[in-house]
Every structure is written in C-alpha cells, then in structure tokens.
Amino acid sequence: MTIPGLIADARKIVVKLGSSTLAAADGKINSNLLAEFAREASALVKQGKQLVIVSSGAQVAGLSTMGKWEHRRNIHYRQALCAVGQVCLMQAWEKAFSPQGIHIAQILLTRDDFSDDTRTLNMRNTLFTLVDEGIIPVINENDSVSVEEIKIGDNDTLAAQSAILWSADLLVLFSDIEGLYDKNPKSHKDAVLVSEVRDLAAVKASVQTAGKSNFGTGGIVTKLDAAELVTSYGIPMVLAYGGKLKELAEGTLPGTAFLCT
Ligand code: ADP
C-alpha cells in the first residue's frame, strides 16, 4: 500500500507535528508553515476527512516569548515556560485555521488520563463531539502539570495513544526528517530511506537510531515505538517531512509507511 493510498483510504487521521517542524530557523513558531498546513488540512476536511492534530511546540513558543528564561533549567521554570508557550502555540493554530473558517479546540492530556477509564471515556466522547461539529482538536501533553512520574514524555507516544483512543484510520507523524533511514541521515551521508515497513521487529533490530534534532525530544526511537503501538491496533502510520499534507497525499513527498500485518 502506498502513502497516497493510505491517505485516500483513511477517513479519520491523526496528524502530529514535532517541535523541529513547528520551529522556524529563528527559534519561533513557524506561522507560514502553520498557515500552509491549515490550508491543506481544510482541503482534506472538505473531501470528507476528519482530522485531529497533536502539536508539540509549547516550549519553543514559550522560549521565544520569555527569551530571558532560556537558561533557567529548573523544573518549575520549564513548566511555567510551557504554560506561557501553550497560549502562544494555540494562538498560532487559531490564526492559521481562522481564514479557513475552521474552529480549533485545545486538549491537554497527561499519562494518567489514559489509564483512568472514566477519563478515557470522557476524552473519547469529547474528541468525537468536537470532530462531528467540524472542529479540529489540537492535543498536547499538559507539560505544566506533568512531572517526570506522570509524563507521557514525547508526543509520538501521545499521538499513537490518541489515534487508538479516537479509533483513527491513520497516524501521520511529521518530523524534520523524510522518514526512517537505515541510519541517522544527519550524521551519515550514505543513509538510505526505508519507504515501507512491514516487519517492525526486524527493522528495530537493524536500523541505527542515535541522535535527534535541536528541538526534538524523542528522536527516531519514539517514532518506531509509536508505529509498533498503532499497528498492533490495526492503524497504519506514516512518517514524513515538514507538515506537507498535500504533497504526501499526492505522492510527491517521500516518507515511510508502517503497515499493519
Ligand atoms: P521531532 O521533533 O519531529 O519529533 P526528533 O528530533 O525527535 O523529531 O526525531 C527525528 C530525528 O531522529 C532526526 O532529525 C534524526 O536526526 C534522528 N534519527 C536518528 N536515527 C535516525 C534514523 N535511522 N532515521 C531517521 N532519523 C533518525
């Protein structure tokens, strides 16, 4: 199955944008990218698809607002930074989708929310209600309350859990990388893109996974874990570059398709 085929077949799609995708070279939220993404997302919605976004970037947005906190490494400052940044992040999303006539909604989750049946049911119902009303939910981890013990820790896992919770048909992870390579292409010029993965265990055993981007948290390992999780629920996953939904749907963007077996 090709990536355009996966997108064509899917009605309910969870799309995750990583910090490295959302941040521009100057370290601020890339509002041009968000506007372009919103245009392409709304085109998919007009085709009858439903979308849920998982968006990182609170810390990035917080830092560009509270620049003087850059060197504050203590946990309270980092959580306060995310509280400031989350507002900026949602403002950026709101601004991007508003010209498309689409409302967005913020959902902040912690690991506990996924292990409590009542909360899980509430989250599921809220997601279904929002999407049925044509609203695009934007999910992020609630970094201001998530101390280490209750952290999901990375938005690849959060996106996978959200896809399962919402019974999505497809998970798309956008990163600063074109897909899965046999080794980190940032440090190996001869790295080769793996365009399709069926046997994830074999791939996990053979690819090299060290390294991540400046703003990234999980690196490729959490993306492989996300693929393992969703495919075990029958949900395929695509890993691709930079939030380019239209090119991905048209088959002009490379990527890695993780297929269910
Ligand atoms: P994001 O912020 O989008 O989640 P990350 O920085 O966390 O992105 O993860 C993507 C990074 O993983 C890439 O930029 C790349 O440097 C690194 N990486 C390490 N090994 C690989 C590999 N085998 N294939 C692709 N990327 C890899």
Side-chain angles (χ1 to χ4, degrees):
M1 177 67 92
T2 61
I3 292 176
L6 287 172
I7 295 178
D9 281 0
R11 197 169 83 94
K12 298 165 72 178
I13 307 175
V14 173
V15 184
K16 181 249 174 178
L17 294 112
S19 304
S20 49
T21 305
L22 291 165
D26 62 2
K28 297 196 171 127
I29 292 289
N30 188 342
S31 46
N32 290 337
L33 182 134
L34 262 62
E36 184 65 29
F37 178 85
R39 267 194 295 278
E40 297 183 1
S42 77
L44 286 182
V45 169
K46 287 193 185 101
Q47 289 170 26
K49 302 206 185 289
Q50 299 183 325
L51 291 185
V52 167
I53 294 172
V54 175
S55 172
S56 311
Q59 185 138 197
V60 171
L63 269 179
S64 57
T65 311
M66 308 296 291
K68 60 183 189 315
W69 285 6
E70 200 167 339
H71 302 297
R72 305 262 188 175
R73 286 282 132 220
N74 114 17
I75 179 79
H76 302 305
Y77 268 93
R78 277 196 284 141
Q79 293 192 300
L81 196 63
C82 290
V84 172
Q86 185 63 28
V87 179
C88 311
L89 181 64
M90 291 312 289
Q91 271 174 348
W93 278 118
E94 214 273 323
K95 202 167 150 225
F97 273 102
S98 158
Q100 308 305 325
I102 291 179
H103 291 297
I104 55 152
Q106 169 183 270
I107 301 185
L108 296 176
L109 300 174
T110 60
R111 195 171 75 191
D112 278 359
D113 296 325
F114 287 94
S115 48
D116 178 302
D117 287 347
T118 312
R119 289 192 203 182
T120 307
L121 189 64
N122 284 339
M123 278 145 59
R124 201 174 143 84
N125 288 339
T126 306
L127 276 177
F128 274 87
T129 305
L130 287 167
V131 172
D132 283 348
E133 288 296 330
I135 297 163
I136 297 189
V138 181
I139 300 177
N140 196 2
E141 177 151 27
N142 196 351
D143 286 317
S144 305
V145 304
S146 297
V147 287
E148 220 48 65
E149 301 78 63
I150 60 159
K151 242 184 183 322
I152 298 168
D154 67 90
N155 275 357
D156 299 322
T157 307
L158 176 63
Q161 290 176 329
S162 303
I164 292 162
L165 179 76
W166 184 46
S167 310
D169 302 316
L170 179 67
L171 171 63
V172 178
L173 300 185
F174 281 119
S175 183
D176 70 329
I177 203 85
E178 286 75 17
L180 173 72
Y181 286 78
D182 60 344
K183 50 195 161 192
N184 188 350
K186 299 272 171 70
S187 41
H188 299 272
K189 289 261 172 300
D190 61 338
V192 179
L193 181 75
V194 183
S195 56
E196 193 179 285
V197 174
R198 284 176 190 276
D199 185 348
L200 200 58
V203 161
K204 272 184 146 180
S206 65
V207 299
Q208 294 174 30
T209 56
K212 62 183 180 196
S213 61
N214 285 346
F215 297 113
T217 42
I220 201 75
V221 175
T222 53
K223 290 164 190 42
L224 293 177
D225 290 344
E228 189 167 23
L229 190 57
V230 289
T231 52
S232 75
Y233 280 81
I235 305 169
M237 187 184 106
V238 169
L239 174 62
Y241 174 78
K244 297 174 185 297
L245 268 178
K246 184 165 176 276
E247 288 180 31
L248 197 66
E250 289 171 349
T252 53
L253 190 74
T256 303
F258 296 86
L259 304 175
C260 308
T261 43

